[in-house]
Amino acid sequence: MASPRPTSRILSRGDTAGFLFFVVLGLGLAVWAVVHSVMRIVEVLPNRDVRVSAPFLDTVAQAPLGPDGAPVPVELGTGVIVAPELPIASLWALVIAEVLLAAVVVTVVVLLLLLTADILRGRIFSRRNTALVSVAGTVTLVGLAGVPFFQNMVANGALARMSDYTYDRGAVQVIDLPTLIGAAFVAALAGTVFSVGDRLQRDTEGLV
């Protein structure tokens, strides 16, 4: 089996600098995700005056946007509410959402950094890299579906608690389907590209 081509024959200095910048950016993103989630969990564990972002579908409120601050009806999309406390199930859902968010970000960053390390060594297409891309895409989809699912549980619990369980609009479940579908398409496309590239590379080894 032919050895990988030297990196200098594949990547320019600009390419290498770009990948190194990606490494730094990825590490920063992973650290941010962990710190953000830990701080959020510490903030909400006392379960007092919990700030929660909640979707408001077809909900009209008054905002001081008219002349001299006169109230004007506006239709809300999302808003932040402060619940005096959350039901225990919603509190645990919040913790799970934050842990899942941090875990997904760190996992995807680690997988892509492993991929970047291989590329910097001159190994772009391989079965290992195809697996790294596929797993990273799958984990991303899990995060895009799972984190909003648990966040919606938190929002429903906060709305129910604040209304003394009289909120009559039913449970809200908002997941950004276009983003989820787009991410699934990108993940599938990336996995296919690396799979085809790996196959073509193995078929042409020794010909160049």
Side-chain angles (χ1 to χ4, degrees):
M1 180 175 178
S3 59
R5 295 171 60 189
T7 304
S8 60
R9 295 177 58 188
I10 298 176
L11 302 178
S12 67
R13 290 184 178 179
D15 294 331
T16 302
F19 278 111
L20 292 177
F21 175 75
F22 174 79
V23 170
V24 174
L25 188 64
L27 291 173
L29 180 60
V31 171
W32 171 86
V34 172
V35 172
H36 172 273
S37 293
V38 169
M39 292 179 62
R40 177 63 171 157
I41 291 173
V42 171
E43 175 191 352
V44 303
L45 279 182
N47 201 14
R48 293 190 302 271
D49 297 330
V50 182
R51 292 173 59 85
V52 175
S53 178
F56 293 92
L57 303 179
D58 302 322
T59 300
V60 177
Q62 300 293 321
L65 303 177
D68 299 322
V72 175
V74 296
E75 184 173 327
L76 296 179
T78 59
V80 176
I81 59 177
V82 180
E85 64 178 11
L86 293 176
I88 296 301
S90 297
L91 182 64
W92 277 109
L94 194 157
V95 172
I96 293 172
E98 293 298 333
V99 171
L100 180 60
L101 173 64
V104 166
V105 172
V106 170
T107 301
V108 171
V109 167
V110 169
L111 292 172
L112 293 184
L113 290 183
L114 290 174
L115 174 65
T116 301
D118 255 15
I119 293 175
L120 289 173
R121 287 195 294 264
R123 292 193 292 267
I124 298 179
F125 297 114
S126 66
R127 291 178 180 175
R128 178 175 183 268
N129 288 351
T130 300
L132 289 174
V133 171
S134 299
V135 174
T138 302
V139 173
T140 299
L141 293 177
V142 170
L144 288 175
V147 172
F149 173 80
F150 288 108
Q151 288 176 337
N152 288 329
M153 290 180 61
V154 178
N156 286 323
L159 291 170
R161 178 65 184 84
M162 290 186 67
S163 66
D164 198 19
Y165 302 94
T166 61
Y167 187 72
D168 60 359
R169 290 184 179 272
V172 293
Q173 180 66 40
V174 179
I175 293 180
D176 191 348
L177 285 180
T179 299
L180 189 61
I181 294 172
F185 174 78
V186 171
L189 180 62
T192 300
V193 168
F194 271 80
S195 178
V196 172
D198 175 40
R199 185 169 65 250
L200 290 176
Q201 181 170 280
R202 285 186 281 109
D203 290 343
T204 56
E205 277 178 354
L207 298 180
V208 179

